[in-house]
Amino acid sequence: MEKVNVAIVGATGAVGTKILEKLVERNFPSKSIKLLASKRSAGSKIEAGGQIYIVEETTPESFDNIQIAFFSAGGTISERFVHEAVERGAVVVDNTSAFRMIDSIPLVVPEVNSHMLIDDAKIIANPNCSTIQLVTALQPLRQKYGLKRIVVSTYQAVSGAGSAAINELRQQSGQFENRSAIKAEILPTSSAQQHYPISFNAIPQIDTFHSSGYTLEELKMMNETKKIFADDRLSVVATCVRVPVVTGHSESVYIELETDGVTVNDIQTLLMQAPGVVLQDNPSKQLYPMPLFAEGKNDVFVGRIRKDPEVSYGFHLWIVSDNLQKGAALNSVQIAEHIVNGKQ
Ligand code: A2P
């Protein structure tokens, strides 16, 4: 396999640090790995796989002689530097929402649509974390039985909003214990007029509101799912909620299949063989997925599968995954592995 020079933009962040760990853990064929962040972090050191990496400030020249560049420093940074990286010869795997809905840019979850990784793609978008775990779990059902409707409610971890949100949850938990005033400055989103505590709370707002009344996070899930499944007729609606969990998104999902007569057992059997999916579904043993136990794992966990009492082709599922792993870093690295393999 041809070895490549790699850059990670946002390497000091919640996702960027995991991308580095994944590259090392999966023995990614890299000649060198360059860690990029803001000027504030230039010179700081990060250790991975027994090696010390020095963080550099991101500049256009950072991408000279880079073949694969991962971006996870927010949409504004991607808009500023992704084209610079491409012009200098890199293929970009972008973890922000900056390019996801552009028709000509593949939006890829390898278990679902790796065929979109065509040779001349220079920017590949990594979907939203909640979307990735949803489509990974539903793909086998869609392939075998057809899918006409998805209604999803999320219970999303604070790490999805970056390391500042993790710190905020930790600090607020301490403030609660010490009975001091709870300071809220980050969530629901840093640009919001009003901030609310996340400790001992649930916030039904992730990202800002669209004029339709949905949040941008909800619209991302709805639009990205249709794009990845290449199915405009699929009905998808989402309600996204932030909960005081550090890592691991959970989703309560209602689906309607195109096929009647499917049983819970059929779905369990199918998901047991599905790539990237682990079935955890045994109520008699209280076996079901939980974010605390998904942390650090690569898989998408599915349980609590039930037939709808009224709709014979309707089913309810509970889907959990580590939002920083399959939801972000792992999926990005899997995309890069496909690209590098294609260059053999
Ligand atoms: P830095 O640590 O130097 O601020 P998170 O998703 O956890 O909030 O992390 C955001 C990432 O984006 C961090 O690595 C952060 O680096 C990086 N970042 C923020 N601003 C810039 C910038 N102007 N140029 C490059 N990287 C940036």
Side-chain angles (χ1 to χ4, degrees):
M1 195 183 291
E2 188 188 331
K3 288 200 167 188
V4 291
N5 294 320
V6 174
I8 305 172
V9 183
T12 53
V15 173
T17 48
K18 299 288 176 198
I19 291 177
L20 176 61
E21 283 173 23
K22 278 280 152 236
L23 291 173
V24 171
E25 176 194 311
R26 292 170 73 90
N27 213 2
F28 187 82
S30 54
K31 269 191 275 197
S32 67
I33 303 177
K34 189 186 272 190
L35 301 193
L36 300 169
S38 76
K39 200 174 179 174
R40 292 180 293 276
S41 306
S44 60
K45 293 177 184 155
I46 295 182
E47 191 272 335
Q51 199 175 324
I52 305 284
Y53 298 83
I54 312 280
V55 179
E56 297 173 34
E57 181 187 356
T58 312
T59 66
E61 292 72 34
S62 307
F63 302 99
D64 286 339
N65 200 25
I66 294 292
Q67 284 84 51
I68 301 276
F70 296 95
F71 274 74
S72 196
T76 316
I77 300 301
S78 287
E79 276 157 17
R80 201 158 117 209
F81 290 110
V82 161
H83 293 296
E84 294 282 357
V86 170
E87 271 167 33
R88 287 167 155 81
V91 175
V92 169
V93 182
D94 185 49
N95 195 45
T96 75
S97 59
F99 303 98
R100 286 182 192 148
M101 291 314 295
I102 297 175
D103 278 347
S104 58
I105 292 187
L107 181 65
V108 176
V109 176
E111 288 83 350
V112 181
N113 63 345
S114 60
H115 59 272
M116 296 302 289
L117 293 169
I118 43 172
D119 273 354
D120 58 353
K122 296 291 176 228
I123 304 172
I124 294 102
N126 192 68
N128 175 273
C129 40
S130 310
T131 309
I132 293 177
Q133 66 185 68
L134 181 74
V135 298
T136 304
L138 296 186
Q139 166 71 351
L141 305 179
R142 190 183 80 89
Q143 272 184 315
K144 180 142 190 196
Y145 303 118
L147 203 54
K148 55 181 171 192
R149 185 164 185 225
I150 305 171
V151 181
V152 52
S153 299
T154 69
Y155 304 67
Q156 294 183 223
V158 293
S159 55
S163 29
I166 303 176
N167 292 339
E168 182 162 87
L169 172 58
R170 293 217 165 101
Q171 281 160 7
Q172 287 175 355
S173 303
Q175 287 156 358
F176 183 87
E177 287 299 317
N178 301 331
R179 295 173 203 273
S180 51
I182 295 199
K183 277 199 215 130
E185 288 165 349
I186 305 288
L187 294 170
T189 176
S190 50
S191 67
Q193 285 181 341
Q194 176 76 44
H195 292 104
Y196 299 113
I198 186 62
S199 61
F200 306 97
N201 199 8
I203 305 177
Q205 180 190 349
I206 300 183
D207 211 328
T208 53
F209 280 98
H210 180 258
S211 56
S212 60
Y214 288 92
T215 61
L216 296 192
E217 182 82 354
E218 289 160 353
L219 292 178
K220 281 178 220 166
M221 282 195 84
M222 290 149 72
N223 296 329
E224 291 178 22
T225 300
K226 291 182 193 198
K227 178 168 173 177
I228 296 163
F229 283 156
D231 185 356
D232 272 342
R233 289 178 318 157
L234 177 66
S235 157
V236 190
V237 66
T239 302
C240 293
V241 180
R242 188 77 68 192
V243 294
V245 166
V246 173
T247 301
H249 289 350
S250 307
E251 298 176 347
S252 166
V253 183
Y254 170 69
I255 54 167
E256 289 181 359
L257 302 175
E258 280 172 347
T259 311
D260 215 341
V262 178
T263 65
V264 166
N265 195 259
D266 291 334
I267 294 182
Q268 289 172 328
T269 306
L270 197 57
L271 290 179
M272 259 190 275
Q273 299 147 12
V277 176
V278 171
L279 183 75
Q280 290 185 328
D281 195 15
N282 189 343
S284 71
K285 295 204 160 117
Q286 282 182 271
L287 179 67
Y288 38 72
M290 285 181 273
L292 193 60
F293 305 111
E295 189 172 349
K297 309 255 167 58
N298 286 338
D299 304 291
V300 175
F301 299 91
V302 186
R304 302 289 329 274
I305 303 173
R306 287 147 294 152
K307 203 174 180 88
D308 188 82
E310 311 294 338
V311 180
S312 60
Y313 46 84
F315 290 86
H316 299 266
L317 305 90
W318 177 247
I319 302 173
V320 176
S321 193
D322 183 326
N323 53 300
L324 301 177
Q325 302 287 346
K326 182 59 185 163
L330 172 62
N331 200 69
S332 296
V333 172
Q334 285 175 312
I335 290 172
E337 287 169 348
H338 275 265
I339 295 165
V340 173
N341 284 337
K343 284 190 173 163
Q344 276 181 84

